Amino acid sequence: MWHFLPITALLFSLSDRTFAEVVQSISDCDHYLINHTPPHVPGILENGRILNQNRYKIICQTYRNRRRFVTLYDVQNKIPVFSAFRFVDQVDRKRPKTYWKIEPQMKNYTYQASNKDYKANNTFDRGHIFPSSYASSKEDKESTFTLTNIVPQAESFNKGSWNKMEMCTKCVMEKYCINSSGGTEGFVVTGAQPSLNSMLNRVNVPSALWSAFCCYSAVRGAWIASGHWGNNVQDESKHKYLETMTLENLQHILGMSNSEFVMFPGTKCPLTTTVTEFYPELKNCPCPPTVSGSITSPPSHFAFIFPLFVYSYLHWVSC
Ligand SMILES: *[C@@H]1O[C@H](CO)[C@@H](O)[C@H](O)[C@H]1NC(C)=O
Ligand SMILES: *[C@@H]1O[C@H](CO)[C@@H](O)[C@H](O)[C@H]1NC(C)=O
Ligand SMILES: *[C@@H]1O[C@H](CO)[C@@H](O)[C@H](O)[C@H]1NC(C)=O
């Protein structure tokens, strides 16, 4: 059995000065978490403690000697449970030309996905969990290209509805997640739901991906949040959008009957509201179409007829 050696013994740099630090406790790498508190993931990470420390590892994703984000990694499925990060002002917008990095601390390939696992499969992309497009600087972006931050993701889902969701949420954060000192600041947690037995070589193909964000919006004078969930299957149409949901709904999907999932514990992140009301104000952003503040996916005749009915009724009453 290969054990994780004490951290100090493992802090060696490679020629590209890349390394990821496997830390014992999430409190060693919590600056990307709102309130310095990780999500409560039933059966996996409860009250900041990992229940099965042999299977789940906290990776403080470090690149060029700087910590960039944090990943909770499942060495059995060889995919992340989630990556958490802080969205700030974009310094660089280009996707970097880079290569996929392996964590030296996990370089025993028994424990993590390798390039070979993902090679030459056009059904599945290497789907980023912390997207490169959300990272601020060129180096922050490069740091997301690590094999512990990706999952096999259905190609048209990755490039289609999931990508639109990422871009729309980014637009929301850029416009509304302005903190009290005028800086852009949003907290994002993105994760994967492992499947029971779908594999790409040695790597679990997750059945679904999910993402949530929360921030204080000084421009709105309130905390705002939303979540998304998408099955990891090819998009059935180019016009597909993921439905924006409340944190409460997302937590309900991710929870277990006896234990609740809590995305942002101990915070003021709203559980029962979303940011869909802002979508019509965002220009050139691929947000789901909205009609008078409500999402029209899937479009139902009821959604159109009902307001008309109410309007006629109210009109009739007021006459
Ligand atoms: C990697 O881990 C496996 C399983 O514990 C072990 O059999 C193997 O010898 C290790 N390889 C290296 C290079 O440490
Ligand atoms: C506001 O966000 C910036 C990042 O854009 C951060 O450096 C700063 O600490 C934040 N200020 C407060 C008061 O949270
Ligand atoms: C990609 O991986 C899936 C799942 O393992 C497999 O069914 C499919 O045939 C692979 N495609 C190619 C081109 O290798």
Side-chain angles (χ1 to χ4, degrees):
M1 198 46 209
W2 188 85
H3 291 284
F4 285 92
L5 300 169
I7 295 163
T8 41
L10 289 160
L11 292 182
F12 51 86
S13 289
L14 293 184
S15 53
D16 65 350
R17 289 169 290 158
T18 299
F19 64 90
E21 206 180 332
V22 176
V23 293
Q24 300 301 312
S25 156
I26 200 119
S27 58
D28 296 330
C29 192
D30 63 8
H31 3 300
Y32 318 98
L33 302 164
I34 186 165
N35 252 6
H36 299 262
T37 310
H40 184 93
V41 187
I44 298 177
L45 180 64
E46 299 192 346
N47 304 315
R49 287 186 38 240
I50 297 181
L51 303 187
N52 180 347
Q53 303 226 355
N54 290 326
R55 174 162 176 190
Y56 298 100
K57 303 290 174 189
I58 291 158
I59 302 177
C60 205
Q61 300 276 10
T62 307
Y63 181 62
R64 305 211 167 182
N65 294 325
R66 274 192 55 192
R67 293 173 165 191
R68 315 272 170 171
F69 64 105
V70 62
T71 298
L72 179 63
Y73 192 70
D74 175 348
V75 301
Q76 189 172 312
N77 284 323
K78 299 181 175 58
I79 52 171
V81 177
F82 66 75
S83 285
F85 46 94
R86 203 166 64 116
F87 179 85
V88 296
D89 272 322
Q90 299 280 290
V91 174
D92 208 307
R93 288 187 174 263
K94 278 208 309 280
R95 186 180 169 103
K97 285 199 178 68
T98 188
Y99 57 92
W100 293 92
K101 295 172 270 292
I102 305 275
E103 323 307 343
Q105 289 203 355
M106 305 254 278
K107 75 177 174 185
N108 186 324
Y109 292 98
T110 316
Y111 293 101
Q112 73 161 290
S114 66
N115 276 312
K116 222 168 118 187
D117 291 310
Y118 282 92
K119 218 172 81 185
N121 190 301
N122 37 30
T123 311
F124 294 110
D125 275 358
R126 300 167 195 229
H128 272 84
I129 290 298
F130 174 16
S132 149
S133 62
Y134 278 29
S136 178
S137 65
K138 182 167 169 283
E139 289 189 353
D140 287 339
K141 288 183 193 305
E142 286 168 354
S143 78
T144 68
F145 287 76
T146 158
L147 288 159
T148 51
N149 181 44
I150 57 167
V151 298
Q153 184 176 6
E155 193 249 344
S156 63
F157 171 46
N158 182 30
K159 298 189 172 75
S161 58
W162 184 259
N163 181 251
K164 281 187 265 188
M165 179 283 289
E166 284 179 343
M167 285 162 61
C168 168
T169 302
K170 185 177 166 184
C171 285
V172 172
M173 291 193 293
E174 283 180 331
K175 182 155 183 197
Y176 296 101
C177 293
I178 309 299
N179 68 20
S180 48
S181 41
T184 308
E185 187 177 45
F187 294 89
V188 187
V189 183
T190 300
Q193 182 98 326
S195 62
L196 284 181
N197 51 22
S198 170
M199 304 291 286
L200 173 64
N201 302 311
R202 302 174 310 134
V203 181
N204 186 286
V205 176
S207 54
L209 267 63
W210 54 267
S211 186
F213 89 94
C214 173
C215 71
Y216 178 70
S217 173
V219 284
R220 305 290 300 191
W223 287 83
I224 58 171
S226 281
H228 289 90
W229 162 274
N231 288 320
N232 189 15
V233 292
Q234 305 294 343
D235 279 3
E236 59 269 24
S237 138
K238 276 195 162 43
H239 307 291
K240 181 175 176 175
Y241 289 94
L242 299 182
E243 186 197 341
T244 303
M245 57 176 77
T246 62
L247 289 183
E248 189 172 77
N249 279 349
L250 181 59
Q251 292 182 167
H252 186 72
I253 297 172
L254 294 169
M256 297 201 293
S257 52
N258 58 343
S259 183
E260 213 181 319
F261 191 108
V262 189
M263 195 64 72
F264 302 109
T267 63
K268 292 182 180 153
C269 299
L271 292 175
T272 56
T273 55
T274 69
V275 294
T276 49
E277 63 179 291
F278 305 145
Y279 292 170
E281 297 162 29
L282 299 166
K283 299 288 168 254
N284 303 318
C285 296
C287 294
T290 53
V291 166
S292 57
S294 68
I295 304 280
T296 61
S297 72
S300 85
H301 295 301
F302 186 71
F304 294 104
I305 292 165
F306 186 67
L308 272 177
F309 173 77
V310 171
Y311 174 77
S312 322
Y313 176 76
L314 292 176
H315 189 69
W316 179 76
V317 168
S318 65
C319 286

